[in-house]
Amino acid sequence: ADHAATLAASATHAAVLNDLGRFAEAEAESRAVAAAGRVSLDADNRVTPGAMATLARALYYQGRLPEAEAGFRDVADAMTAAFGPADAGMLAVRSWHCQMLVELDRLAEAQDIAIQLMETHSDGNPPGDRTLLGARRRYAKIQWRRGRTTEAEAECRAVVTGLTAAVGPGHLETELARASHAGMLVELGRSAEAEADLAVAVAGLVGTVGPGHWFTLGVRFWQARAYAELGRATQAEAEYDAVVAGQAAALGEGHYKTLASRAWRAVLRSGRGRGAEARDELSLAVRELTDILGAEHSSVLRHRGHLAAVLNELGQHAEAAAEGQAALRSSTSALGADHPTTRELAATLASIDSQP
């Protein structure tokens, strides 16, 4: 009993280390607890799967998505076998697994899980149940990634309304959902609508997790995107600079979120007469994001289009056309001809092809 209590305390400490951003330490401690628990605790204990889930979170926060996805999948499967398909702890882990699949653009698998989660959480719960709303938020993000933008935006807006009623404004879940919806508005060219919601979300997250937390920085990224679309380039670049510096400190220089922010900052800089600098930064980001996310990931393909556009602006028309053609072929194959990323790449290539 004392040994079990010690392992449980260590597992809790590892989870706290994750929350503090000390991911390597969390990884080491949770890995040790999981290994010890497998050997010395009963098969139906909850300490071991809890430590394994903490380990998967640590891997995710370090940007090691394939390892994190496999970890969450294994934990969810083990908990289903031990505790049943309706166990609350297992459903929480399965939701994390769904998120990993979304991040990796494995959308068909993610959608199956999201639908299962919504069905399970709908059983006996009111429409405003926070776990159900969380599953609906996952589903909305999947629809967005699949190019079903109108459906996704409406669903995410409904989730924000539901969470505001269920847990209140300023709550972590509410503000993360608000930020997700505002990001969709930015992508839809509705940054003027998004700006106020982004400010509310940032204020809420600063109050709950702090200004340097990766959640807060993620919302500030969308603020930078909104400022750029609204023509406030100086403000946008300053915001990007702060986000990149903050993400590098919180997550690491080579984390895929830091790299993505650098890539979007490069897009902005290319429009401010700094094309060579933008080309070099985009080239680096595309190369490293490909290693992390894979060559057919929608974010990688989109930034390849940005790189092609910058090459074109610099007069490197042959290189731009080759980059644009390769990205368009991959996007058409991986995402489909009607996906927004594919259409964006086709438009980019058309502008390149028109050059002498």
Side-chain angles (χ1 to χ4, degrees):
D2 289 344
H3 177 62
T6 299
L7 289 178
S10 292
T12 300
H13 183 244
V16 171
L17 290 173
N18 258 341
D19 292 339
L20 291 172
R22 293 160 61 179
F23 309 130
E25 295 172 69
E27 177 188 353
E29 186 158 3
S30 58
R31 195 182 294 278
V33 171
R38 289 192 197 96
V39 172
S40 60
L41 298 181
D42 294 338
D44 61 350
N45 80 89
R46 289 186 178 269
V47 174
T48 303
M52 292 171 64
T54 298
L55 170 60
R57 281 182 58 207
L59 295 172
Y60 165 57
Y61 291 142
Q62 293 177 80
R64 293 153 62 183
L65 288 175
E67 294 174 78
E69 183 274 322
F72 281 120
R73 182 189 64 234
D74 291 347
V75 178
D77 289 348
M79 292 184 75
T80 300
F83 309 119
D87 179 75
M90 186 284 297
L91 292 172
V93 175
R94 189 71 76 188
S95 181
W96 272 99
H97 181 224
C98 181
Q99 176 64 18
M100 297 305 99
L101 292 170
V102 174
E103 295 284 342
L104 289 165
D105 263 3
R106 292 165 54 182
L107 301 179
E109 297 170 74
Q111 180 166 288
D112 288 345
I113 294 174
I115 291 172
Q116 291 170 9
L117 289 170
M118 288 191 294
E119 290 174 349
T120 301
H121 291 310
S122 295
D123 188 15
N125 289 322
D129 177 74
R130 63 190 286 190
T131 55
L132 173 58
L133 290 166
R136 287 180 62 188
R137 181 181 163 220
R138 292 271 191 270
Y139 180 80
K141 189 169 184 178
I142 292 163
Q143 300 318 301
W144 181 267
R145 290 284 189 97
R146 299 188 81 170
R148 298 170 183 169
T149 54
T150 301
E151 176 185 350
E153 186 272 326
E155 179 73 358
C156 199
R157 179 168 13 97
V159 168
V160 175
T161 301
L163 284 170
T164 301
V167 296
H171 190 280
L172 178 63
E173 292 178 37
T174 305
E175 298 314 326
L176 288 175
R178 191 191 312 280
S180 293
H181 179 247
M184 291 178 182
L185 293 178
V186 173
E187 289 279 14
L188 290 169
R190 294 159 59 184
S191 289
E193 295 175 63
E195 186 175 8
D197 276 346
L198 288 168
V200 171
V202 167
L205 291 171
V206 167
T208 54
V209 295
H213 196 281
W214 51 97
F215 288 165
T216 309
L217 294 165
V219 184
R220 291 186 65 187
F221 162 81
W222 284 110
Q223 284 186 309
R225 290 277 309 273
Y227 296 153
E229 186 185 302
L230 292 168
R232 286 142 55 183
T234 300
Q235 188 178 9
E237 184 163 3
E239 192 70 8
Y240 275 131
D241 287 344
V243 169
V244 170
Q247 288 177 328
L251 300 170
E253 290 278 359
H255 195 281
Y256 70 98
K257 291 185 182 294
T258 310
L259 292 166
S261 296
R262 289 179 61 185
W264 278 104
R265 181 178 64 180
V267 172
L268 175 73
R269 287 175 172 174
S270 72
R272 307 193 78 194
R274 296 158 69 181
E277 180 183 348
R279 175 197 60 206
D280 294 344
E281 188 150 30
L282 273 169
S283 296
L284 174 65
V286 165
R287 189 164 57 249
E288 296 195 10
L289 285 170
T290 299
D291 289 342
I292 297 168
L293 301 174
E296 293 190 337
H297 193 280
S298 57
S299 295
V300 173
L301 295 170
R302 195 172 187 188
H303 287 310
R304 289 187 70 184
H306 294 152
L307 176 59
V310 171
L311 290 168
N312 192 53
E313 291 168 7
L314 292 170
Q316 300 173 235
H317 303 309
E319 296 94 326
E323 187 70 25
Q325 289 163 0
L328 180 59
R329 282 195 301 270
S330 294
S331 187
T332 303
S333 173
L335 306 175
D338 292 329
H339 193 278
T341 296
T342 306
R343 294 198 300 267
E344 182 180 314
L345 288 165
T348 298
L349 184 60
S351 70
I352 293 169
D353 286 342
S354 68
Q355 295 292 330

